[in-house]
Amino acid sequence: MYTKKVPILLAALVFWLSPGLALAQSGSERLAIIQSKCQVAHDNLDLLRRRDLVARTNRGREYENIVKQLEAFTQRVRHNRLDAGRLGTTTQQFKIAVDQFRDAYLRYDDSLSELLQTDCRTKPDVFALKLEESRVLRAETAVSATRAEELALNYRELVATLAGPNINGAAQ
Amino acid sequence: MSQPQTVISWIRRYIRRRRLPVALFLAIAASLILTGVSVSIYSLGGFSRFDLSRPDYEKERNQLSTAPPQKTYDVTSPIDQRAADEFLSEFDGRLNDLHAYGNFRDGGLSDEELQLVDAVPGSLQ
């Protein structure tokens, strides 16, 4: 019975270790790729940073325009003595979301800056780690941009329901 | 007379005799200090990272959206169907513009985009 159990245990041990071994092997392969393609990666990172800067600038401007539009309409609703509570709340939430987007982008841009300053030929492991950090922060920037758009759409829906028979004095 | 008072009176006499050069020197010193302060704020405050007027960013400047003229909104007129439609029409235009801009979801940091992948055997790369 003992002799039967040993091969089973050995097989189980190999099966349990093999993902880790595969990971270690693929990790070292990846580091080798990072080292060999360091300059290409740096060039692509620089291009990406520039592209993201343009996206950030264009989004930032558009968000500012939307904030002005929402604030003006909310003020007009209040002036007309209609219930602007939810409109005002949604406008404030949108402004907070825009600030969060800006902060998220700053953190992401800082991480990209550190990544670009890392020498991936001599420190591919550090580069790989910082790359993962940048990916997480880029995803967070995307989430905050989506959140801002969702809030803007909420406001749109409120205005759309405000239109029609509810206009001309009826409170929401 | 104590030594500090001697120095002060010497400085006063010097300034009285050379008012114009001293005034010019102070003006230049003040402008240099203020320039130093503003450049420090520009670089340390992180504003430089958003400055697309830097050299070598011509291509990115061309990709910026053109800033529309400053718009003032009517905030006192009655709200009717037309006002709501105008709001929605302008808003939908802005939303379409937002969708055209990058949203950081395009997998820009993937290994494929950064070309951190091994070449497939037999493929041209």
Side-chain angles (χ1 to χ4, degrees):
Chain A
M1 221 160 115
Y2 176 77
T3 52
K4 276 184 187 172
K5 276 186 182 172
V6 167
I8 295 169
L9 285 171
L10 275 173
L13 188 66
V14 168
F15 181 77
W16 179 65
L17 282 176
S18 57
L21 287 170
L23 201 60
Q25 189 183 22
S26 69
S28 62
E29 281 175 8
R30 186 155 182 272
L31 293 184
I33 293 170
I34 288 173
Q35 271 182 314
S36 64
K37 301 199 176 182
C38 182
Q39 189 56 48
V40 169
H42 266 263
D43 292 343
N44 287 325
L45 278 171
D46 184 60
L47 286 173
L48 175 68
R49 195 179 188 198
R50 288 164 180 259
R51 201 168 79 225
D52 284 346
L53 177 58
V54 171
R56 157 66 181 92
T57 305
N58 284 335
R59 282 194 161 260
R61 282 183 184 176
E62 207 60 60
Y63 286 152
E64 282 300 312
N65 292 335
I66 290 174
V67 164
K68 282 179 194 163
Q69 189 185 3
L70 300 194
E71 283 180 334
F73 195 81
T74 305
Q75 196 179 342
R76 190 171 174 181
V77 167
R78 281 198 191 107
H79 190 266
N80 279 267
R81 300 183 194 282
L82 295 172
D83 186 2
R86 289 175 68 190
L87 290 175
T89 306
T90 308
T91 306
Q92 280 306 114
Q93 287 172 341
F94 179 75
K95 286 163 81 172
I96 291 169
V98 168
D99 288 339
Q100 286 172 344
F101 165 74
R102 290 193 181 114
D103 292 340
Y105 177 83
L106 281 177
R107 287 192 294 272
Y108 161 63
D109 192 61
D110 284 341
S111 76
L112 264 191
S113 181
E114 281 182 27
L115 189 58
L116 280 163
Q117 286 166 9
T118 304
D119 186 356
C120 38
R121 283 194 190 94
T122 56
K123 298 176 190 171
D125 49 342
V126 175
F127 184 89
L129 229 111
K130 287 187 187 292
L131 179 59
E132 289 308 313
E133 284 173 19
S134 296
R135 282 174 178 162
V136 168
L137 291 171
R138 194 165 196 264
E140 284 177 12
T141 308
V143 164
S144 60
T146 304
R147 172 83 181 128
E149 280 188 42
E150 281 171 2
L151 286 164
L153 282 169
N154 286 352
Y155 192 99
R156 190 198 185 283
E157 277 172 35
L158 289 171
V159 172
T161 54
L162 184 70
N166 289 321
I167 283 181
N168 301 323
Q172 282 291 314
Chain B
M1 212 190 244
S2 66
Q3 198 166 2
Q5 284 176 332
T6 315
V7 169
I8 289 169
S9 61
W10 181 85
I11 290 170
R12 280 181 179 160
R13 266 185 276 125
Y14 184 88
I15 290 172
R16 252 184 261 126
R17 284 180 206 156
R18 297 170 181 80
R19 281 184 183 171
L20 183 59
V22 168
L24 280 173
F25 173 78
L26 287 175
I28 291 169
S31 60
L32 284 173
I33 289 168
L34 289 172
T35 304
V37 167
S38 47
V39 168
S40 301
I41 292 172
Y42 172 79
S43 43
L44 296 174
F47 300 101
S48 61
R49 73 171 94 197
F50 296 114
D51 185 6
L52 284 167
S53 66
R54 286 174 285 170
D56 200 32
Y57 279 81
E58 294 84 8
K59 184 185 159 200
E60 283 74 27
R61 278 199 291 276
N62 292 334
Q63 292 170 356
L64 288 179
S65 59
T66 48
Q70 278 289 343
K71 185 168 180 173
T72 52
Y73 291 99
D74 181 359
V75 294
T76 54
S77 299
I79 291 193
D80 51 13
Q81 186 63 50
R82 189 179 152 207
D85 288 344
E86 274 175 13
F87 171 89
L88 292 173
S89 168
E90 184 180 344
F91 181 85
D92 289 342
R94 296 205 189 286
L95 212 58
N96 287 338
D97 289 341
L98 268 181
H99 290 154
Y101 304 143
N103 61 1
F104 305 92
R105 285 188 183 282
D106 55 2
L109 281 174
S110 65
D111 281 355
E112 289 75 21
E113 286 291 325
L114 297 178
Q115 295 181 284
L116 287 174
V117 288
D118 245 346
V120 174
S123 69
L124 290 171
Q125 203 163 0

